[in-house]
mmCIF file of all heavy atoms in Angstrom:
data_model
loop_
_atom_site.group_PDB
_atom_site.id
_atom_site.type_symbol
_atom_site.label_atom_id
_atom_site.label_comp_id
_atom_site.label_asym_id
_atom_site.label_seq_id
_atom_site.Cartn_x
_atom_site.Cartn_y
_atom_site.Cartn_z
ATOM 1 N N GLY A 39 -20.722 -68.380 -50.040
ATOM 2 C CA GLY A 39 -21.901 -67.530 -49.564
ATOM 3 C C GLY A 39 -21.802 -66.787 -48.334
ATOM 4 O O GLY A 39 -22.739 -66.069 -47.802
ATOM 5 N N LEU A 40 -20.656 -67.028 -47.579
ATOM 6 C CA LEU A 40 -20.521 -66.332 -46.245
ATOM 7 C C LEU A 40 -20.497 -64.815 -46.410
ATOM 8 O O LEU A 40 -19.815 -64.306 -47.418
ATOM 9 C CB LEU A 40 -19.169 -66.812 -45.602
ATOM 10 C CG LEU A 40 -19.174 -68.203 -45.068
ATOM 11 C CD1 LEU A 40 -17.950 -68.580 -44.458
ATOM 12 C CD2 LEU A 40 -20.289 -68.646 -44.305
ATOM 13 N N ALA A 41 -21.095 -64.132 -45.501
ATOM 14 C CA ALA A 41 -21.004 -62.544 -45.543
ATOM 15 C C ALA A 41 -19.634 -62.170 -45.179
ATOM 16 O O ALA A 41 -19.019 -62.595 -44.133
ATOM 17 C CB ALA A 41 -22.027 -61.961 -44.671
ATOM 18 N N VAL A 42 -19.047 -61.250 -46.032
ATOM 19 C CA VAL A 42 -17.616 -60.749 -45.599
ATOM 20 C C VAL A 42 -17.557 -59.178 -45.785
ATOM 21 O O VAL A 42 -18.425 -58.631 -46.462
ATOM 22 C CB VAL A 42 -16.545 -61.409 -46.563
ATOM 23 C CG1 VAL A 42 -16.577 -62.766 -46.503
ATOM 24 C CG2 VAL A 42 -16.813 -61.025 -48.017
ATOM 25 N N ALA A 43 -16.585 -58.710 -45.045
ATOM 26 C CA ALA A 43 -16.274 -57.209 -45.369
ATOM 27 C C ALA A 43 -14.936 -57.224 -46.017
ATOM 28 O O ALA A 43 -13.902 -57.776 -45.476
ATOM 29 C CB ALA A 43 -16.238 -56.579 -44.028
ATOM 30 N N GLU A 44 -14.988 -56.540 -47.195
ATOM 31 C CA GLU A 44 -13.674 -56.306 -47.921
ATOM 32 C C GLU A 44 -13.211 -55.018 -47.622
ATOM 33 O O GLU A 44 -13.839 -53.942 -47.836
ATOM 34 C CB GLU A 44 -13.878 -56.556 -49.363
ATOM 35 C CG GLU A 44 -14.096 -58.028 -49.825
ATOM 36 C CD GLU A 44 -14.177 -58.132 -51.389
ATOM 37 O OE1 GLU A 44 -14.168 -56.993 -52.123
ATOM 38 O OE2 GLU A 44 -14.178 -59.226 -51.771
ATOM 39 N N VAL A 45 -11.864 -54.773 -47.023
ATOM 40 C CA VAL A 45 -11.339 -53.637 -46.716
ATOM 41 C C VAL A 45 -10.112 -53.327 -47.649
ATOM 42 O O VAL A 45 -9.254 -54.150 -47.818
ATOM 43 C CB VAL A 45 -10.993 -53.656 -45.288
ATOM 44 C CG1 VAL A 45 -10.262 -52.288 -44.861
ATOM 45 C CG2 VAL A 45 -11.894 -54.072 -44.206
ATOM 46 N N ASN A 46 -10.186 -52.030 -48.145
ATOM 47 C CA ASN A 46 -9.179 -51.553 -48.901
ATOM 48 C C ASN A 46 -8.935 -50.097 -48.662
ATOM 49 O O ASN A 46 -9.867 -49.291 -48.721
ATOM 50 C CB ASN A 46 -9.532 -51.711 -50.450
ATOM 51 C CG ASN A 46 -9.448 -52.976 -51.072
ATOM 52 O OD1 ASN A 46 -8.294 -53.518 -51.340
ATOM 53 N ND2 ASN A 46 -10.458 -53.787 -51.120
ATOM 54 N N ASN A 47 -7.767 -49.816 -48.247
ATOM 55 C CA ASN A 47 -7.297 -48.392 -48.105
ATOM 56 C C ASN A 47 -5.881 -48.180 -48.580
ATOM 57 O O ASN A 47 -5.364 -49.070 -49.127
ATOM 58 C CB ASN A 47 -7.487 -48.126 -46.522
ATOM 59 C CG ASN A 47 -6.613 -49.027 -45.610
ATOM 60 O OD1 ASN A 47 -5.519 -49.256 -45.884
ATOM 61 N ND2 ASN A 47 -7.230 -49.384 -44.594
ATOM 62 N N ALA A 48 -5.485 -46.939 -48.300
ATOM 63 C CA ALA A 48 -4.083 -46.606 -48.786
ATOM 64 C C ALA A 48 -2.939 -47.473 -48.302
ATOM 65 O O ALA A 48 -1.911 -47.570 -48.980
ATOM 66 C CB ALA A 48 -3.776 -45.110 -48.451
ATOM 67 N N HIS A 49 -3.183 -48.193 -47.138
ATOM 68 C CA HIS A 49 -2.057 -49.000 -46.619
ATOM 69 C C HIS A 49 -2.166 -50.429 -46.790
ATOM 70 O O HIS A 49 -1.111 -51.104 -46.775
ATOM 71 C CB HIS A 49 -1.992 -48.706 -45.085
ATOM 72 C CG HIS A 49 -1.957 -47.288 -44.703
ATOM 73 N ND1 HIS A 49 -0.815 -46.445 -45.150
ATOM 74 C CD2 HIS A 49 -2.589 -46.563 -43.865
ATOM 75 C CE1 HIS A 49 -0.878 -45.241 -44.717
ATOM 76 N NE2 HIS A 49 -2.081 -45.261 -43.992
ATOM 77 N N GLY A 50 -3.269 -50.989 -47.160
ATOM 78 C CA GLY A 50 -3.422 -52.397 -47.312
ATOM 79 C C GLY A 50 -4.767 -52.876 -47.409
ATOM 80 O O GLY A 50 -5.745 -52.017 -47.693
ATOM 81 N N SER A 51 -4.989 -54.168 -47.485
ATOM 82 C CA SER A 51 -6.330 -54.837 -47.797
ATOM 83 C C SER A 51 -6.565 -55.982 -46.826
ATOM 84 O O SER A 51 -5.558 -56.652 -46.356
ATOM 85 C CB SER A 51 -6.470 -55.216 -49.278
ATOM 86 O OG SER A 51 -5.418 -56.232 -49.470
ATOM 87 N N ALA A 52 -7.760 -56.306 -46.612
ATOM 88 C CA ALA A 52 -8.162 -57.441 -45.764
ATOM 89 C C ALA A 52 -9.586 -57.951 -46.171
ATOM 90 O O ALA A 52 -10.356 -57.122 -46.679
ATOM 91 C CB ALA A 52 -8.037 -57.082 -44.314
ATOM 92 N N VAL A 53 -9.784 -59.229 -45.833
ATOM 93 C CA VAL A 53 -11.207 -59.648 -45.976
ATOM 94 C C VAL A 53 -11.571 -60.350 -44.632
ATOM 95 O O VAL A 53 -10.751 -61.064 -44.109
ATOM 96 C CB VAL A 53 -11.295 -60.822 -47.070
ATOM 97 C CG1 VAL A 53 -12.639 -61.418 -47.042
ATOM 98 C CG2 VAL A 53 -10.890 -60.162 -48.387
ATOM 99 N N ILE A 54 -12.804 -59.978 -44.094
ATOM 100 C CA ILE A 54 -13.174 -60.384 -42.701
ATOM 101 C C ILE A 54 -14.593 -61.013 -42.862
ATOM 102 O O ILE A 54 -15.491 -60.375 -43.517
ATOM 103 C CB ILE A 54 -13.234 -59.107 -41.892
ATOM 104 C CG1 ILE A 54 -11.942 -58.319 -41.745
ATOM 105 C CG2 ILE A 54 -13.630 -59.712 -40.395
ATOM 106 C CD1 ILE A 54 -12.130 -56.929 -41.087
ATOM 107 N N ALA A 55 -14.616 -62.298 -42.440
ATOM 108 C CA ALA A 55 -15.946 -62.907 -42.517
ATOM 109 C C ALA A 55 -16.731 -62.480 -41.226
ATOM 110 O O ALA A 55 -16.150 -62.464 -40.074
ATOM 111 C CB ALA A 55 -15.691 -64.481 -42.448
ATOM 112 N N LEU A 56 -17.983 -62.229 -41.340
ATOM 113 C CA LEU A 56 -18.865 -61.824 -40.211
ATOM 114 C C LEU A 56 -19.051 -63.054 -39.361
ATOM 115 O O LEU A 56 -19.342 -62.889 -38.064
ATOM 116 C CB LEU A 56 -20.135 -61.323 -40.620
ATOM 117 C CG LEU A 56 -20.215 -59.732 -41.023
ATOM 118 C CD1 LEU A 56 -19.167 -59.366 -42.014
ATOM 119 C CD2 LEU A 56 -21.579 -59.309 -41.338
ATOM 120 N N GLN A 57 -18.987 -64.249 -39.954
ATOM 121 C CA GLN A 57 -19.019 -65.501 -39.116
ATOM 122 C C GLN A 57 -17.729 -65.477 -38.435
ATOM 123 O O GLN A 57 -16.631 -65.653 -39.015
ATOM 124 C CB GLN A 57 -19.254 -66.733 -40.000
ATOM 125 C CG GLN A 57 -19.064 -68.019 -39.157
ATOM 126 C CD GLN A 57 -19.489 -69.202 -40.026
ATOM 127 O OE1 GLN A 57 -20.637 -69.523 -40.392
ATOM 128 N NE2 GLN A 57 -18.489 -69.934 -40.485
#
Side-chain angles (χ1 to χ4, degrees):
L40 295 183
V42 301
E44 291 187 349
V45 182
N46 281 282
N47 57 44
H49 302 307
S51 62
V53 177
I54 307 164
L56 273 57
Q57 176 176 282

